[in-house]
Amino acid sequence: MAKFRKGEGRETPGMNTASLPDIVFMLLFFFMVITTMKNDNLKVRAITPSASEVEKLELKTFVHTIYVGPPIEPIKYGTTPRIQLNDEIAQVSDIARFIVQEREDAREGTQDVLVTSLKADKDKVKMGIIIDIKQELRKMGQLNLNYSAKKGKKLAE
Amino acid sequence: MARKKRSIPEINAGSMADIAFLLLIFFLVTTTIETDTGIPVKLPTMEIKKDVEVNERNILEVLVNSNNQLLVEGNPMAVEELKQKTKDFVTNFGRDPKMSDSAKVAIVSIKSDRGTKYDVYIKIWNELSAAYNELWDAEARKKFGNNYADLLPADKKKITEMYPRIVSEAEPETYGGKE
């Protein structure tokens, strides 16, 4: 009887915060796994077209991106569409070096799985520069290409 | 003197909630759950293969000029009609003498001008992909009772062998003189 004391437990107990660290770490791991920190600074305007037959790009680690569009700073780079490889505005002739670099950075044996994602502005980009890019990729043997597009509606029935 | 037994104080976990929210807001602001989508395409190699003689009826010729107008087999056509035309062409099986002999040799050839808008080019690719996807879906449902996307890879291969998607892109020229 001495174990039960009168008066104990009259105040409402505070919130049990013992599980908060678990929640913190769960959230942290979730975001570390799901999201990508790769936010390439877009130096060109590349609003991709929409298409209904798009497929998800698997395995982001094997994807490198070429952006094509009018530069955001026309004073420095002009108004005609330019290409951007990773972070820098470049010429079409730089694509060869870019592909070699990506192949070196990739893991052994994954060279054939590398995919080039082409993000080109839908309005301002004409086929001329796209054709040049494709020729350069073909010369380098980089044949897996993905025309980046947003999921859109079917055109007609 | 009777000594009250002092309980070891627990770590004050009250500020863990603040840490949680800070981290959450940091990640929400700086990262993206980027679902990249696109139309996958396999580029042809640089070697020019001129060995196979292809009958002209087995090629569906799609030309685009710098005014974004399509010319399919010599007739102007809107992009919206391309899907149906492609499906008719591939599933012709020799009926119409101007269209393909059999689905296995049906080739679609795209020739774009340097001044064509990229958007139009993607629309063309989209319509072609849509045509083949619909053919594959219909065949998958007939043969296996499932949508094409839900099939096993071996079954998918059987269907793509029946209706192979062969799209050839010609080396481009500048028709209108406009770049």
Side-chain angles (χ1 to χ4, degrees), chain B residues 66-108:
Chain B
S66 47
N67 284 328
N68 306 319
Q69 293 161 322
L70 274 79
L71 205 69
V72 180
E73 299 273 284
N75 297 321
M77 190 183 280
V79 186
E80 291 81 10
E81 301 165 35
L82 185 59
K83 181 174 75 170
Q84 190 55 46
K85 176 82 182 172
T86 310
K87 283 171 86 171
D88 294 337
F89 170 75
V90 173
T91 55
N92 188 42
F93 295 117
R95 284 187 297 262
D96 186 336
K98 277 186 278 180
M99 300 217 256
S100 78
D101 233 332
S102 113
K104 299 211 178 140
V105 292
I107 302 178
V108 182

Side-chain angles (χ1 to χ4, degrees), chain A residues 85-100:
Chain A
L85 305 169
N86 282 339
D87 258 356
E88 288 304 316
I89 292 206
Q91 304 278 43
V92 179
S93 42
D94 295 327
I95 290 182
R97 202 172 16 100
F98 174 67
I99 297 291
V100 168

Side-chain angles (χ1 to χ4, degrees), chain B residues 27-56:
Chain B
F27 276 110
L28 276 175
V29 163
T30 60
T31 64
T32 53
I33 307 181
E34 207 176 293
T35 43
D36 236 341
T37 50
I39 303 179
V41 147
K42 193 100 193 230
L43 294 174
T45 54
M46 283 305 282
E47 332 162 335
I48 307 167
K49 292 189 232 173
K50 280 205 189 259
D51 44 8
V52 184
E53 268 303 306
V54 189
N55 195 337
E56 214 228 296

Side-chain angles (χ1 to χ4, degrees), chain A residues 64-128:
Chain A
H64 46 273
T65 315
I66 300 181
Y67 301 92
V68 190
I72 293 183
E73 294 174 343
I75 308 166
K76 262 208 268 182
Y77 300 109
T79 49
T80 56
R82 302 289 301 270
I83 60 175
Q84 177 182 336
L85 305 169
N86 282 339
D87 258 356
E88 288 304 316
I89 292 206
Q91 304 278 43
V92 179
S93 42
D94 295 327
I95 290 182
R97 202 172 16 100
F98 174 67
I99 297 291
V100 168
Q101 187 67 46
E102 289 292 323
R103 285 192 175 149
E104 271 175 28
D105 292 342
R107 272 191 304 181
E108 280 304 310
T110 60
Q111 317 250 327
D112 299 325
V113 204
L114 291 181
V115 178
T116 310
S117 172
L118 188 60
K119 290 198 169 91
D121 190 85
K122 61 176 171 154
D123 295 315
K124 298 279 171 38
V125 173
K126 300 276 158 80
M127 283 311 289

